[in-house]
Amino acid sequence: MTQVLDKPRQEVITLYGNRLRLRVCGLYRQDDQLLMVRHRGIGPTNTFWCPPGGGAQFGEAAPDALVREFSEETGLDVRVGELLFVNEFMLPPLHALELFFRVDAQGGQLLAGTDPEMSPDGQIIEEVRLMSFDEIKSYPPHEVHAMFRYCQSLDDVFALRGYLPR
């Protein structure tokens, strides 16, 4: 029997599956909340929360890619700060090296953006919002980014350094 996949999951696999991808991700904190994006088409429950970010394009510097991705996904204009840590995301058929930077908002208006490489009916961004650490941790571990398993507070997120173990 052939499994029928929904359009967003099909597009994720077609665009990003079975290849190594370089992603840039930004940690934006406002008071005691972290900016998060809810995606569909990823993971077993079709819900995956992670900080904003996306793929760097050939010839594009990582900070420039992050500024572009933040604008596309969140509507915010950001200034990229220090590189904090690297995570290797592996959820077959997806595999990405993720560079996490601290970012500061410089303007724009928070909104749920789009992925320009995806079709209108294949969009995977469902929601963009600020979340408390307790709210993030209330989700099952497979519905939030793996970095949160190393943290007991929002301050711990910003203290992560180096290459995160798998």
Side-chain angles (χ1 to χ4, degrees):
M1 183 169 153
T2 304
Q3 181 182 10
V4 177
L5 301 177
D6 63 1
K7 181 75 171 167
R9 190 174 300 270
Q10 279 181 322
E11 289 205 22
V12 166
I13 291 169
T14 300
L15 289 170
Y16 311 128
N18 301 305
R19 63 184 59 100
L20 179 61
R21 185 171 182 233
L22 176 65
R23 292 188 75 243
V24 291
C25 306
L27 297 176
Y28 171 66
R29 182 178 189 165
Q30 186 175 323
D31 301 319
D32 289 328
Q33 296 183 310
L34 184 67
L35 186 59
M36 298 285 285
V37 177
R38 181 168 53 105
H39 296 85
R40 61 184 181 158
I42 300 171
T45 59
N46 215 23
T47 293
F48 186 72
W49 285 97
C50 66
Q57 299 170 357
F58 182 79
E60 183 179 40
D64 295 337
L66 187 54
V67 167
R68 176 183 50 75
E69 286 290 341
F70 246 81
S71 178
E72 289 171 359
E73 289 191 2
T74 73
L76 294 179
D77 300 320
V78 296
R79 182 180 57 79
V80 178
E82 70 179 305
L83 172 65
L84 299 175
F85 60 92
V86 176
N87 180 68
E88 193 159 7
F89 179 90
M90 283 196 220
L91 182 63
L94 304 177
H95 183 185
L97 287 175
E98 300 174 316
L99 308 177
F100 277 84
F101 294 85
R102 177 188 309 267
V103 299
D104 295 307
Q106 303 294 298
Q109 184 173 355
L110 187 61
L111 55 83
T114 60
D115 281 307
E117 63 270 24
M118 299 191 153
S119 67
D121 62 339
Q123 290 294 311
I124 63 172
I125 296 173
E126 290 199 308
E127 185 177 2
V128 175
R129 66 184 169 95
L130 291 159
M131 297 172 70
S132 71
F133 187 78
D134 288 341
E135 185 178 4
I136 294 166
K137 292 292 267 192
S138 72
Y139 283 90
H142 61 272
E143 291 187 359
V144 295
H145 194 280
M147 71 176 172
F148 295 106
R149 72 180 123 167
Y150 304 108
C151 304
Q152 301 304 314
S153 70
L154 193 52
D155 289 335
D156 288 350
V157 172
F158 285 84
L160 290 170
R161 296 292 184 272
Y163 179 86
L164 298 185
R166 290 196 36 197

